[in-house]
Amino acid sequence: MSSSALVRFGRSASSAAIARRNIPLLGTARAQFSAVAAEEESTKPRRRKRLDPIIVTESAADRIKELLAGENAKGALGIRLGVKRRGCNGLSYTLNYAFEKPEKDEEMEAHGVKVFIEPMALFNVVGTTMDWEESELASEFTFKNPNAKGECGCGESFNV
């Protein structure tokens, strides 16, 4: 049955619908089908770029670059962000050098720095802003986590 036969019986059918029904096409109908199929493939929406799970500020990236240039970090690809159960409020952030790309970690790049996020930490850190702050009393990475329900007084641990 051709596409014109389908229209005659009150049903309109696209060439994609005809192909799904395995209806044989002859002559010019086959050429029209391949042109329509190529057009449909080229107009398919592209996959959206995935958003980074965390935001790394420029000052944090600069400090990470300094750390990666140090003696202890020779050969490191970037840093690895994780979460451990500890502290007075339940969870604490961990930062380590990543000397190889962990298989299941979420990889992102910000301001020229690679950050690998542990799979178990991903749920707890999505949307977090990582910053480097220097004051008269301390120089430290700070994390502003919109998912945190509470933090301890010193800012070392949080709960979700």
Side-chain angles (χ1 to χ4, degrees), residues 1 14 47 49 107 141-142:
M1 180 186 306
S14 69
R47 191 172 184 185
K49 182 183 181 259
E107 181 181 349
F141 286 106
T142 59

Side-chain angles (χ1 to χ4, degrees), residues 43-140:
T43 59
K44 283 184 182 177
R46 301 249 182 230
R47 191 172 184 185
R48 268 181 58 185
K49 182 183 181 259
R50 290 179 61 174
L51 298 176
D52 290 336
I54 67 168
I55 299 165
V56 179
T57 64
E58 198 167 339
S59 61
D62 290 342
R63 179 61 180 153
I64 293 168
K65 287 176 189 174
E66 288 175 24
L67 292 171
L68 291 174
E71 189 68 30
N72 293 335
K74 283 201 187 255
L77 301 173
I79 61 164
R80 189 168 192 224
L81 174 65
V83 172
K84 287 215 185 255
R85 291 195 173 278
R86 68 173 175 214
C88 52
N89 222 341
L91 298 169
S92 182
Y93 298 102
T94 62
L95 287 174
N96 296 303
Y97 296 116
F99 292 100
E100 58 186 35
K101 183 191 178 312
E103 188 176 316
K104 294 186 178 182
D105 282 14
E106 181 76 25
E107 181 181 349
M108 62 167 280
E109 189 168 335
H111 305 287
V113 173
K114 283 191 179 182
V115 178
F116 300 94
I117 302 170
E118 295 177 4
M120 296 299 286
L122 192 57
F123 175 75
N124 297 310
V125 300
V126 168
T128 299
T129 300
M130 179 182 176
D131 196 10
W132 174 255
E133 294 180 2
E134 292 184 27
S135 68
E136 293 177 14
L137 297 175
S139 299
E140 62 187 349

